[in-house]
Amino acid sequence: MEERASTGRAQGLATLLDKLDTPHEGEPMGLMDHWCFFKPRVRQSEAGPDNHSKRGGFMPPVPLPRRMFGGFRTTYHKPLILGEMMSKEAMIKAVQIKSGQTGTLVICTVSNRFSGESGLAIEEEHDFVYRDKPSKDAKDATATAANRLCAGRFRIFACNHPGSRDAVPVIRLHFQRPPHSLRLQIRH
């Protein structure tokens, strides 16, 4: 895949993170800014029940219904430069099947290589975890975990807007105690 490292996405992320200096064309990208690029555009009708792309395609068609991000490892060789063309190569490095107290897990490790006009810049491995649905008697600790993670009343997250390459809508999650409720607010 190839994509131009547009300043709009990097500036949108800097704004979201409340940084005083926003990046400009010709400057190096910040750490993890490359995550704003190479995002698939998935029509709503092509999304699965978990709002990810339907199974198949690049990722293996694992039959377990729950998918989540399990972690990553990154090696930075040199910075990617805003305004330049970049490329991304992705390959499935490993698929592991594990069994534990919560049932079967499948861990799929994807290797990504990001290059700029001057060569290889970043190498990453991402782990994606596939799980079965929790049993009916399993305690749902989502609200409790969310309250432990959030010191304040809300956290802000960003995602790519499916209709625009550079728009960064703001998603604000409000955690309220008790009862453990979650309110979602999306602002474009």
Side-chain angles (χ1 to χ4, degrees):
M1 291 187 268
E2 286 193 343
E3 185 172 335
R4 182 164 303 284
S6 75
T7 56
R9 289 193 185 184
Q11 288 172 349
L13 180 61
T15 301
L16 178 72
L17 298 175
D18 204 25
K19 293 183 179 179
L20 294 176
D21 295 325
T22 58
H24 299 283
E25 192 161 318
E27 294 180 350
M29 277 190 208
L31 298 177
M32 297 178 68
D33 282 3
H34 63 286
W35 280 16
C36 294
F37 300 91
F38 301 105
K39 298 298 177 198
R41 305 290 187 246
V42 180
R43 291 179 29 228
Q44 189 65 33
S45 62
E46 295 174 354
D50 58 1
N51 291 321
H52 291 274
S53 303
K54 286 184 180 173
R55 303 299 171 101
F58 175 72
M59 295 296 279
V62 176
L64 299 173
R66 298 172 65 195
R67 291 182 269 189
M68 63 187 120
F69 186 68
F72 70 98
R73 292 153 303 283
T74 303
T75 302
Y76 290 91
H77 299 288
K78 62 176 110 174
L80 291 165
I81 305 299
L82 287 167
E84 290 188 356
M85 287 301 293
M86 310 179 287
S87 64
K88 175 185 175 184
E89 298 173 30
M91 66 175 236
I92 296 174
K93 183 175 179 179
V95 177
Q96 300 173 35
I97 300 171
K98 297 186 176 199
S99 185
Q101 291 180 343
T102 60
T104 302
L105 296 175
V106 174
I107 302 169
C108 182
T109 302
V110 176
S111 173
N112 296 311
R113 294 169 51 95
F114 297 86
S115 298
E117 292 179 9
S118 63
L120 179 64
I122 302 167
E123 292 180 286
E124 284 186 331
E125 287 183 357
H126 289 226
D127 297 320
F128 297 93
V129 180
Y130 296 78
R131 297 180 61 183
D132 206 350
K133 288 182 180 177
S135 64
K136 291 180 182 179
D137 59 343
K139 180 180 176 186
D140 182 10
T142 305
T144 305
N147 281 322
R148 275 199 315 265
L149 291 172
C150 296
R153 292 194 63 209
F154 62 86
R155 286 290 185 251
I156 299 176
F157 299 89
C159 66
N160 288 325
H161 187 279
S164 172
R165 295 179 62 99
D166 292 326
V168 181
V170 174
I171 299 175
R172 184 174 293 199
L173 297 174
H174 294 265
F175 298 98
Q176 299 170 351
R177 315 170 206 204
H180 300 288
S181 64
L182 179 67
R183 182 169 52 99
L184 177 67
Q185 172 188 2
I186 301 177
R187 179 171 48 92
H188 295 276

